[in-house]
Amino acid sequence: GDVEKMKRKIEGDLKLTQEAVSDLERVKAELSQTIQRKEKELSSLSAKIEDEQTLGGKYSKQIKELATRIEELDEELAIERQNRAKAEKNRSILSRDIEDLGRRLEEAGSNTSTQIELNKKREAEVGKLRKDIEETNIQQESILAGL
């Protein structure tokens, strides 16, 4: 009976051990699947990180290019503002010159009309003097004829 008891005990232990081995193999398979899934996730995340780094590099390059363009536009704007200021200054100078020329032209016109009036008076005086000379000549001729 002891052998039979031992045999049953050993068979029971064997069954328990086989069940434990089976459980461990099942757990091992599940862990293996989990590891594979995690490795796939890790690979996917690594690919995403690589893509993001590539995009980051691309965006950094674009940012540098745009910053350079902004600097160029700022320089162009500064030059444009300087040119506009020069143009305004020149416009102001030209405007003063035009006003000056207008005044001088008015003065010249005024002087011209004054000169025309003087010339008319002188012509009238010259005409009167001619008439006086003519009359004096006629008187002299009649005096000379009377002698």
Side-chain angles (χ1 to χ4, degrees):
D2 281 341
V3 172
E4 196 59 37
K5 226 185 199 182
M6 273 294 230
K7 185 180 172 188
R8 275 198 308 267
K9 184 180 184 305
I10 290 175
E11 283 175 351
D13 287 349
L14 177 63
K15 191 175 182 183
L16 285 174
T17 303
Q18 285 174 336
E19 285 176 4
V21 166
S22 175
D23 283 348
L24 287 174
E25 284 177 345
R26 186 179 43 74
V27 167
K28 180 184 173 194
E30 287 174 1
L31 288 174
S32 180
Q33 285 178 346
T34 300
I35 288 172
Q36 282 182 338
R37 200 173 62 245
K38 294 292 180 189
E39 284 176 344
K40 282 182 184 174
E41 288 176 15
L42 179 64
S43 172
S44 171
L45 286 175
S46 293
K48 274 187 180 176
I49 288 172
E50 219 174 283
D51 290 347
E52 294 295 328
Q53 286 175 336
T54 302
L55 269 179
K58 182 180 167 190
Y59 290 148
S60 290
K61 184 180 175 190
Q62 279 184 339
I63 287 170
K64 284 179 187 169
E65 290 172 355
L66 290 173
T68 301
R69 184 66 183 130
I70 287 172
E71 284 179 29
E72 291 170 359
L73 289 173
D74 280 343
E75 289 172 12
E76 288 178 22
L77 184 61
I79 290 170
E80 189 63 34
R81 284 184 176 144
Q82 288 173 350
N83 289 342
R84 177 169 286 198
K86 284 180 190 172
E88 281 297 318
K89 184 178 175 187
N90 287 340
R91 189 188 64 75
S92 154
I93 289 171
L94 287 174
S95 181
R96 275 198 309 271
D97 289 351
I98 288 172
E99 286 178 23
D100 212 24
L101 286 173
R103 274 194 302 277
R104 288 167 57 190
L105 188 60
E106 278 181 36
E107 288 172 12
S110 162
N111 289 345
T112 302
S113 61
T114 304
Q115 195 64 45
I116 289 173
E117 289 301 316
L118 284 175
N119 287 347
K120 283 181 184 176
K121 285 181 183 173
R122 287 198 182 114
E123 283 175 18
E125 287 175 18
V126 168
K128 186 175 179 285
L129 288 175
R130 280 195 181 133
K131 196 175 169 189
D132 289 349
I133 290 173
E134 189 77 28
E135 287 175 12
T136 306
N137 281 342
I138 291 172
Q139 285 176 358
Q140 277 182 345
E141 282 174 17
S142 70
I143 290 173
L144 287 176
L147 292 177

